[in-house]
Amino acid sequence: KTAVFFPLCLTWLEAASMSSMEDSTVISMQGVEAFDDPTEDYHGDITDDTSDDGRQTLLQEHEKPAPAFYQIEYYQQFFDVDTEQVVTRIKTSQWPLQNDFLDKIHNRGDLYGPFWISTTLVFTMAMSGNIAHWYATAEEDRSTWQYDFSKVSLAATTIYSYTSLIPFLVWAVLRWKTQTLFTLLDVFCIYGYSLFSYVPVSILCAVPQFGSVGRWVLVFTALGLSGTVLIVNFMRCLKAESLRLFWSLVGGIAVAHTGLALAFKFYFFEYE
């Protein structure tokens, strides 16, 4: 939570500053329109109380402070997307050769899709893990078998930690070691959408007929789809950097993503 809290504070301060500048411009322009329009005849004294009240009301309307980071209104901007945008981003994030996903979402990223994809994955992983455990239980013991709710908390901890800490670390390296302009929200966005391929795979892995080999194929298919999208996008923005930084960051992304896939396979999709 701390890893996400500080960058969001920086984002809020930047947004508040830009909002203040825009409001000042709007007020100035409206003042020009109200008092310099040559097509209108002015009747009345310049000290008219009604005119002063109108100007005061106008100033009050445009001097509303930007919402603070602890207010719900502040986070609405991160969820301001429609269904068509979410579906398009899901499709784009599942195409391995799509290396411009970060460019398309730059300064227009969202947390709606990543949040619901991660949350859906938490429950499908927990469900698959319990089904796998039930099939692995001897038939004579199935009558006393109980649902393991700890798998829900473990899946949530694993997925939410991965989709928050790893993107933050990647963004930190990009922010202080390169000249790229991608924001923390952009990196959160691509990581969240890239995990969508694990949702259908987690459901299919609950089917025991696939067997051990079939589940390995499914897991590595999801790993290949999601991992390739991440790597080709970050390779594109790192091509002008040093080879040491290039391979260190790309290698770190690949290792972390592979570790997540193996954790899924050995803990949630293991029947033996």
Side-chain angles (χ1 to χ4, degrees):
K1 293 183 178 179
T2 304
V4 180
F5 175 79
F6 181 67
L8 284 179
C9 289
L10 295 180
T11 304
W12 172 74
L13 291 174
E14 182 180 2
S17 176
M18 294 298 294
S19 176
S20 177
M21 294 174 61
E22 292 175 358
D23 289 346
S24 300
T25 304
V26 171
I27 294 172
S28 300
M29 292 303 296
Q30 290 188 348
V32 172
E33 293 176 358
F35 298 103
D36 293 342
D37 189 349
T39 63
E40 293 184 0
D41 293 329
Y42 180 77
H43 300 287
D45 187 73
I46 193 168
T47 61
D48 189 1
D49 293 339
T50 303
S51 179
D52 291 340
D53 291 341
R55 287 196 297 269
Q56 185 66 26
T57 301
L58 180 64
L59 289 173
Q60 291 176 351
E61 290 178 353
H62 289 280
E63 288 179 352
K64 293 181 180 179
F69 66 88
Y70 53 81
Q71 295 177 317
I72 296 178
E73 291 78 5
Y74 172 75
Y75 297 95
Q76 289 178 347
Q77 59 183 313
F78 304 127
F79 295 84
D80 187 18
V81 289
D82 54 36
T83 303
E84 184 178 355
Q85 287 178 304
V86 173
V87 172
T88 300
R89 290 177 178 183
I90 289 175
K91 292 178 180 178
T92 304
S93 66
Q94 300 308 301
W95 182 242
L97 301 180
Q98 189 76 39
N99 66 350
D100 59 349
F101 184 88
L102 282 172
D103 292 326
K104 290 181 177 180
I105 66 169
H106 182 47
N107 289 328
R108 296 190 301 274
D110 70 277
L111 293 179
Y112 181 87
F115 172 77
W116 282 112
I117 289 172
S118 299
T119 302
T120 301
L121 186 57
V122 167
F123 288 101
T124 57
M125 295 288 292
M127 177 195 70
S128 298
N130 276 279
I131 291 176
H133 184 243
W134 185 83
Y135 275 106
T137 303
E139 292 187 8
E140 60 271 15
D141 297 329
R142 289 180 181 177
S143 59
T144 59
W145 181 87
Q146 293 183 344
Y147 189 93
D148 186 2
F149 286 97
S150 65
K151 289 186 181 294
V152 178
S153 58
L154 181 61
T157 301
T158 302
I159 294 170
Y160 289 137
S161 297
Y162 179 82
T163 55
S164 59
L165 296 179
I166 300 300
F168 175 75
L169 292 175
V170 172
W171 170 81
V173 173
L174 293 175
R175 175 67 177 79
W176 283 291
K177 294 293 185 179
T178 72
Q179 300 298 318
T180 58
L181 301 177
F182 296 117
T183 65
L184 178 62
L185 182 61
D186 295 335
V187 183
F188 275 139
C189 191
I190 189 173
Y191 261 89
Y193 278 103
S194 70
L195 292 181
F196 178 80
S197 58
Y198 284 101
V199 175
V201 165
S202 64
I203 297 174
L204 292 174
C205 283
V207 180
Q209 285 75 15
F210 274 102
S212 180
V213 175
R215 288 191 291 274
W216 275 111
V217 172
L218 289 171
V219 170
F220 275 104
T221 299
L223 172 63
L225 289 174
S226 57
T228 303
V229 169
L230 292 175
I231 290 174
V232 297
N233 273 271
F234 287 113
M235 284 179 64
R236 186 167 180 263
C237 64
L238 289 171
K239 60 184 180 181
E241 306 299 329
S242 65
L243 288 177
R244 181 180 179 181
L245 176 62
F246 179 92
W247 289 114
S248 297
L249 187 56
V250 171
I253 292 172
V255 169
H257 210 61
T258 302
L260 180 70
L262 293 177
F264 287 166
K265 174 63 179 68
F266 287 117
Y267 188 79
F268 294 98
F269 303 149
E270 194 60 49
Y271 281 66
E272 290 77 14

